[in-house]
């Protein structure tokens, strides 16, 4: 465990709440302590209300907030006195608890407080930190975990047997704490769940968390249960695109909507999926209960999605019968798949969700590995995990309120993605919820700020290697290709046929036509496995219906590309792949239209550059964004019955109309 506190950084956070923000971020920065919205922290502050009354306010992390990125507004201020009075009630239902917390905040715009708020309230310390530390879970998630915890911590912590988070946990913590805590108590261990530390200052509470978890790490080391064997091969370099896309197709069918699937095949994951005992140790349950909403209770072994769905339905039926209220089953598709060939595959409704599932399982593999070395991994019974999975307060974390985006769970490849129409297509697709792989020869494509739903691939599309790599990346990161926007193109002539340079002609054909043919051919197997059917939009040109003098190579290449796309529409209809063509004109915010080309073209028509820009029927300018929005919509439900169509985006052209 590394203590990340520095006085210099801490000085930038003056005040009780700011100090709370600082050490919450330190906790969040260490992924072996908390992951993606896991864990929570609080501080109790005495404040004066608008009426001049002094009152104690508990600032507790907002539900689902990420500790690493939290700020003051991410904490919910709840009146402490009210929480303490709630804590002694004999019972409090979840909706009642939620209502009481939300109606006793001192700031209306604050987030909904953490489900563990009352527990923070009953601990008589100013600062409280709670994590699901990997090392602690590796120790408690064994058959004799309680004995080991006693061995590690002696009387320094109060140990609480597993109780589901919420009101009951707060009550049992309050009671055991009252009975067992003494002046030297610095934390609470919640068996098979996590750990609390507390203190008079943010630093003291944080230091104690690092100390307590560090002791668990050293214990694992002393028991020969720290170093994990990593003997799997790193197989990131090779993958079967069709096997992965087919698996994702079946998972999406089972889920009832398209899902993103990330396949992890580094040596760490390959070691785990090829463990001899993987069929046993992976099927016992998650390391801490709130992981269930991201990973489901158990991963799927191999590729039998039908079998997995059947056993999920049985698990639901077995446990829902005893539930107090009527429950609706969640989709029965897996969120983690362990396959000896495909590695560890993580699934989510969006690329971000798949990434969260992958991160959680990366840590779970280590926890299982260490607990096994310690004598045997053990998890909570299925009934406890079910109660958490179907706990409404937990499900609320997954509901963002808005309905899923148009292309949630779908994957798009865009070529020529670094600038102009291609870049606008990337933005239009991301805005509609798709995960996007952008390909471009321009190195800028790799310098886009890192985000889970975008991947830049640099390369020349005239090389089969680039095409293979782009499709490999799309498959590895997201599980396949559903939509393809064929946009990359060059405009290199500006010479009349009599003066046409052979090399320039050839290059135009290579990029605009041959590379597009190769890309279509290589993408076809993936497009056939798109959960909602494949969609292709080819960016043609006004020059197809209305060619211009001095643009022979460009016009001929785009005309041939259009014809290629029409044949694809004919051939691929049977595979449920739609292929449509856009013919933009006079889109001047693209790489093709340099100032020189603009001048040259304008003079061909005897116009000024300004006249040339708006020389269309509507006298309007056409932007990359106009083209991209239409390209994205052509992949959506609006055009679901349309294939082989050619649509102008040109402000109206006299020669085309
Ligand atoms: Zn917790």
């Amino acid at each position: 465990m590394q203590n990340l506190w520095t006085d210099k950084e801490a000085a930038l956070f003056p005040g009780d709440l700011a100090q709370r923000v600082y050490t919450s971020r330190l906790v969040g920065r260490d992924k072996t302590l908390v992951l993606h919205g896991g864990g929570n922290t609080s501080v109790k502050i005495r404040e004066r209300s608008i009426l001049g009354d002094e009152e104690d306010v508990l600032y507790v992390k907002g539900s689902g907030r990420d500790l690493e990125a939290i700020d003051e507004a991410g904490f919910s201020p709840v009146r402490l006195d009210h929480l303490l009075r709630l804590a002694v009630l004999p019972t409090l239902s979840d909706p009642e608890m939620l209502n009481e917390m939300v109606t006793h905040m001192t700031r209306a715009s604050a987030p909904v407080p953490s489900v563990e708020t009352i527990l923070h309230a009953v601990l008589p310390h100013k600062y409280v930190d709670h994590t699901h530390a990997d090392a602690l879970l590796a120790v408690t998630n064994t058959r004799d975990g309680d004995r080991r915890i006693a061995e590690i911590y002696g009387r320094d912590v109060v140990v609480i047997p597993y109780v589901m988070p919420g009101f009951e946990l707060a009550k049992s913590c309050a009671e055991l704490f009252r009975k067992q805590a003494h002046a030297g108590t610095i934390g609470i261990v919640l068996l098979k769940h996590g750990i609390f530390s507390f203190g008079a200052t943010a630093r003291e509470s944080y230091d104690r968390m690092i100390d307590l978890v560090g002791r668990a790490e050293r214990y694992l080391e002393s028991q020969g249960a720290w170093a994990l064997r990593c003997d799997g091969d790193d197989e990131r370099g090779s993958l079967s695109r069709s096997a992965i896309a087919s698996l994702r197709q079946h998972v999406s069918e089972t889920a009832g909507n398209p899902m993103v699937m990330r396949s992890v095949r580094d040596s760490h994951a390959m070691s785990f999926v090829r463990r001899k005992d993987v069929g046993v140790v992976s099927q016992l349950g998650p390391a801490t209960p709130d992981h269930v909403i991201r990973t489901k209770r158990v991963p799927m072994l191999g590729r039998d999605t039908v079998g997995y769905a059947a056993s999920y339905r049985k698990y639901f039926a077995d446990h829902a019968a005893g539930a107090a209220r009527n429950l609706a089953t969640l989709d029965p598709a897996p969120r983690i798949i362990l396959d000896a060939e495909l590695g560890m595959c993580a699934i989510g409704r969006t690329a971000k969700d798949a990434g969260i599932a992958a991160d959680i399982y990366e840590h779970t593999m280590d926890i299982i590995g260490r607990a096994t070395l310690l004598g045997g991994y053990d998890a909570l019974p299925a009934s406890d995990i079910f109660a958490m999975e179907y706990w409404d307060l937990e499900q609320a974390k997954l509901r963002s309120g808005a309905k899923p985006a148009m292309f949630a769970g779908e994957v798009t490849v865009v070529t020529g993605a670094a600038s102009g129409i291609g870049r606008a297509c990337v933005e239009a697709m991301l805005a509609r919820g798709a995960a996007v792989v952008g390909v471009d020869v321009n190195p800028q494509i790799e310098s886009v700020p890192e985000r889970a739903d975008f991947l830049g691939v640099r390369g020349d599309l005239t090389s089969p290697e680039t095409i293979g790599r782009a499709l490999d990346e799309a498959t590895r990161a997201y599980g396949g290709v559903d939509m393809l926007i064929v946009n990359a193109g060059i405009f290199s002539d500006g010479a009349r046929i009599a003066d046409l340079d052979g090399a320039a002609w050839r290059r135009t054909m290579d990029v605009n036509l041959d590379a597009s043919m190769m890309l279509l051919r290589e993408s076809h197997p993936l497009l056939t496995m798109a959960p909602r059917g494949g969609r292709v939009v080819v960016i043609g040109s006004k020059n197809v219906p209305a060619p211009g003098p001095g643009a022979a190579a460009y016009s001929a290449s785009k005309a041939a590309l259009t014809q290629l796309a029409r044949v694809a529409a004919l051939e691929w209809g049977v595979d449920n792949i739609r292929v449509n063509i856009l013919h933009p004109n006079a889109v001047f915010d693209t790489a093709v239209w340099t100032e020189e080309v603009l001048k040259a073209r304008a003079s061909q028509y005897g116009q000024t550059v300004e006249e040339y820009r708006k020389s269309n029927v509507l006298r309007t300018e056409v932007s990359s964004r106009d083209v991209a929005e239409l390209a994205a919509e052509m992949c959506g439900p609006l055009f679901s019955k349309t294939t082989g169509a050619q649509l102008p985006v040109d402000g109206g052209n006299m020669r085309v109309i």
Side-chain angles (χ1 to χ4, degrees):
M1 264 339 292
Q2 224 198 325
N3 191 315
L4 302 174
W5 174 284
T6 69
D7 290 338
K8 202 176 150 195
E9 255 188 331
L12 301 172
F13 295 85
D16 288 349
L17 183 55
Q19 286 284 294
R20 178 66 287 172
V21 169
Y22 174 55
T23 58
S24 298
R25 288 182 187 173
L26 294 186
V27 168
R29 227 187 271 168
D30 189 334
K31 301 301 167 208
T32 69
L33 289 176
V34 293
L35 280 169
H36 299 293
N40 39 59
T41 58
S42 68
V43 58
K44 301 175 183 81
I45 301 176
R46 194 154 187 82
E47 288 182 340
R48 192 177 292 278
S49 78
I50 200 166
L51 299 175
D53 303 327
E54 292 264 318
E55 59 185 355
D56 288 315
V57 177
L58 175 78
Y59 281 83
V60 64
K61 190 193 83 160
S63 182
R65 296 289 164 122
D66 207 7
L67 286 176
E68 190 181 9
I70 203 158
D71 54 13
E72 293 191 4
F75 286 89
S76 314
V78 194
R79 293 195 174 89
L80 183 62
D81 176 56
H82 190 71
L83 293 171
L84 294 175
R85 290 176 64 197
L86 291 176
V88 297
L89 288 175
T91 59
L92 187 66
S93 72
D94 293 336
E96 285 168 343
M97 179 175 82
L98 197 63
N99 181 64
E100 292 305 309
M101 295 190 310
V102 172
T103 53
H104 288 79
M105 300 198 302
T106 61
R107 196 177 74 244
S109 62
V112 172
S114 162
V115 297
E116 281 162 327
T117 295
I118 298 181
L119 174 42
H120 281 260
V122 299
L123 295 175
H125 293 272
K126 188 172 175 74
Y127 286 88
V128 177
D129 291 50
H130 169 50
T131 72
H132 303 147
D134 289 0
L136 193 279
L137 292 172
V139 177
T140 72
N141 290 26
T142 52
R143 268 172 282 281
D144 47 359
D146 46 352
R147 175 187 65 77
R148 295 177 186 279
I149 291 297
E151 199 180 317
I152 298 170
Y153 299 115
R155 293 190 67 235
D156 292 354
V157 300
V158 171
V159 179
I160 314 269
Y162 181 76
V163 176
M164 188 168 139
F167 186 65
E168 289 305 319
L169 175 60
K171 271 187 85 75
S172 78
C173 267
E175 193 187 317
L176 283 170
F177 197 79
R178 231 181 350 258
K179 284 185 190 154
Q180 297 180 14
H182 51 87
T185 303
I186 58 170
I188 297 175
V189 169
L190 306 175
L191 293 174
K192 295 187 171 139
H193 171 171
I195 184 164
F196 277 83
S197 66
F198 30 72
T201 64
R203 179 168 191 179
E204 185 174 54
S205 185
Y206 173 72
D207 283 351
R208 285 172 173 174
M209 177 60 71
I210 301 302
D211 169 50
L212 289 169
V213 178
R215 285 198 235 171
E217 288 190 353
R218 288 191 293 281
Y219 174 81
L220 287 165
E221 213 161 358
S222 73
Q223 301 295 306
W226 181 254
L228 292 165
R229 270 180 57 191
C230 195
D231 49 8
D233 293 324
D234 186 323
E235 298 185 11
R236 277 174 290 183
S238 64
L239 85 177
S240 162
R241 289 203 294 258
S242 63
I244 290 177
S246 161
L247 181 57
R248 167 179 174 254
Q249 183 185 22
H250 292 127
V251 167
S252 300
E253 264 167 27
T254 307
N257 40 51
M259 302 294 272
V260 167
M261 186 173 97
R262 179 199 286 194
S263 124
V264 183
R265 308 177 78 241
D266 55 14
S267 57
H268 180 239
M270 296 317 288
S271 300
F272 190 82
V273 300
R274 290 182 185 160
R275 285 176 70 113
K276 286 195 180 66
D277 60 356
V278 69
V280 178
V281 296
S282 72
Q283 300 300 300
L284 297 170
T288 185
D290 86 346
H291 287 174
V292 70
I293 60 167
R294 298 296 188 174
T295 63
K296 286 236 157 91
R297 190 179 81 84
V298 291
M300 176 168 107
L301 290 165
R303 305 178 201 176
D304 178 13
T305 43
V306 175
Y308 184 90
S311 71
Y312 185 82
R313 288 196 187 94
K314 183 176 182 308
Y315 154 80
F316 178 80
D318 287 351
H319 297 285
R325 61 197 168 88
N326 248 348
L327 298 172
T329 181
L330 300 166
D331 78 70
R335 293 298 183 275
I336 298 292
I337 297 173
L338 305 174
D339 182 273
E341 302 304 318
L342 305 182
M344 185 265 279
C345 302
I347 292 141
R349 192 71 180 88
T350 64
K352 189 172 168 225
D353 289 344
I356 290 174
D359 287 348
I360 288 176
Y361 211 74
E362 293 267 2
H363 287 262
T364 302
M365 292 191 289
D366 287 348
I367 294 166
I368 290 176
R370 294 196 171 111
T372 305
L373 289 173
L374 204 55
Y377 180 71
D378 189 31
L380 289 166
S383 53
D384 285 323
I385 299 304
F386 181 85
M388 194 71 176
E389 185 175 1
Y390 282 87
W391 188 22
D392 197 53
L393 301 185
E394 202 61 13
Q395 284 301 323
K397 292 182 187 171
L398 298 181
R399 291 191 292 261
S400 58
K403 63 174 190 159
M406 184 194 278
F407 296 142
E410 300 200 89
V411 189
T412 309
V413 171
V414 179
T415 68
S419 63
I421 292 172
R423 186 175 171 158
C425 285
V426 170
E427 282 158 17
M429 281 294 177
L430 289 173
R432 287 166 175 77
V436 181
V437 174
V439 194
D440 207 296
V441 72
N442 185 335
Q444 265 185 346
I445 196 69
E446 291 174 330
S447 64
V448 177
E450 202 174 318
R451 48 186 288 172
D453 53 1
F454 179 81
L455 212 80
V457 173
R458 181 187 173 188
D460 183 342
L461 283 158
T462 61
S463 136
E465 185 275 331
T466 301
I467 291 174
R469 192 153 44 85
L471 298 179
D472 279 354
E473 286 291 284
T475 309
R476 181 191 60 73
Y478 305 127
V481 176
D482 304 313
M483 297 171 276
L484 176 62
I485 298 188
V486 183
N487 164 68
I490 53 170
F491 183 102
S492 62
D493 39 14
R496 300 214 165 222
I497 294 171
D499 306 316
L500 205 56
D501 172 61
W505 165 272
R506 191 60 260 153
R507 178 76 189 148
T508 304
M509 289 296 171
D510 278 350
V511 175
N512 295 3
L513 180 61
D514 295 17
S516 302
M517 185 281 292
M518 278 197 292
L519 177 63
L520 286 169
R521 186 183 64 200
E522 298 306 309
S523 305
H524 176 255
L526 295 176
L527 292 167
T528 61
M529 289 184 270
R532 281 194 186 140
R535 283 136 288 164
V536 178
V537 174
V538 168
I539 306 298
S541 166
K542 181 267 320 179
N543 281 29
V544 174
Y554 184 75
S555 303
S557 69
K558 288 290 190 179
L561 173 62
T562 299
Q563 205 70 342
L564 174 71
R566 295 174 71 202
V567 175
L570 289 170
E571 291 182 354
W572 295 357
V574 69
D575 302 317
N576 194 24
I577 300 170
R578 299 192 284 109
V579 185
N580 290 297
I581 303 141
L582 285 181
H583 290 317
N585 188 36
V587 180
F588 297 115
D589 55 345
T590 73
V592 167
W593 291 97
T594 61
E595 202 53 39
E596 294 84 85
V597 175
L598 251 180
K599 273 185 195 147
R601 301 302 300 154
S603 71
Q604 297 267 0
Y605 292 92
Q607 290 173 322
T608 67
V609 169
E610 189 50 31
E611 284 166 345
Y612 185 64
R613 274 179 183 280
K614 292 188 179 178
S615 57
N616 55 49
V617 171
L618 296 172
R619 295 277 180 271
T620 184
E621 267 199 63
V622 182
S623 70
S624 292
R625 188 163 181 272
D626 296 325
V627 181
E629 290 292 311
L630 190 52
E633 287 301 319
M634 285 188 107
C635 296
L638 208 57
F639 285 81
S640 62
K641 306 293 164 67
T642 302
T643 192
Q646 300 180 50
L647 205 61
V649 203
D650 57 3
N653 185 286
M654 294 292 279
R655 292 172 57 213
V656 175
I657 294 171

